[in-house]
Amino acid sequence: MGLPRNNRLRHYEAFQSVYRKGECYHSSQVVIHSLFGTNKNCQIIPTQFGISISQKVSKKATVRNYLKRQIKSIIHVLLPKIVSGYQIVIVVKKQTQGCQHSILLREIEELLINAKICLL
């Protein structure tokens, strides 16, 4: 169950522009970088998500992929509540490896509400 294609942040340049120009929100498990933007025709784009998990979190790709799947399922649940027009990169911190799904869901939702991206 992946994200729809128009909700994925895919290119290196897009990730870098979100890191450079976007706002940053922290919690104990994740960091969210967000940037509001439009396309070249000044139309509001659907919200796009990127997930970044370093090898510092785990050397094993299976663990990193498991965390990505967890985060994608959280995004899939929250997607109807999310405002259009944002590019969001979710960076996973090192201590997230043993985190429960419910805790991760709560933290990501709180960060998106603080960033005024997710509606209550």
Side-chain angles (χ1 to χ4, degrees), residues 29 66-67 70 95-104 107:
Q29 306 295 327
Y66 175 73
L67 287 170
Q70 276 192 322
Q95 62 268 22
T96 307
Q97 185 176 351
C99 182
Q100 294 178 355
H101 183 76
S102 59
I103 295 171
L104 202 55
E107 286 199 5

Side-chain angles (χ1 to χ4, degrees), residues 16-98:
Q16 291 304 312
S17 69
V18 173
Y19 286 135
R20 275 189 255 114
K21 301 175 190 174
E23 297 178 11
C24 188
Y25 301 91
H26 299 271
S27 76
S28 63
Q29 306 295 327
V30 294
V31 177
I32 290 182
H33 297 272
S34 67
L35 177 67
F36 185 79
T38 57
N39 65 4
K40 295 176 184 175
N41 300 329
C42 294
Q43 297 173 338
I44 294 178
I45 56 173
T47 297
Q48 298 175 330
F49 290 91
I51 301 169
S52 176
I53 302 178
S54 171
Q55 282 190 346
K56 292 178 184 177
V57 174
S58 175
K59 296 287 183 195
K60 296 180 181 180
T62 54
V63 174
R64 295 192 308 271
N65 289 336
Y66 175 73
L67 287 170
K68 280 185 190 179
R69 284 194 305 274
Q70 276 192 322
I71 292 172
K72 286 177 187 176
S73 70
I74 291 168
I75 293 168
H76 197 60
V77 168
L78 296 176
L79 203 54
K81 300 183 201 176
I82 293 179
V83 178
S84 295
Y86 281 93
Q87 293 179 325
I88 300 168
V89 177
I90 298 174
V91 181
V92 177
K93 290 185 177 180
K94 190 173 184 178
Q95 62 268 22
T96 307
Q97 185 176 351

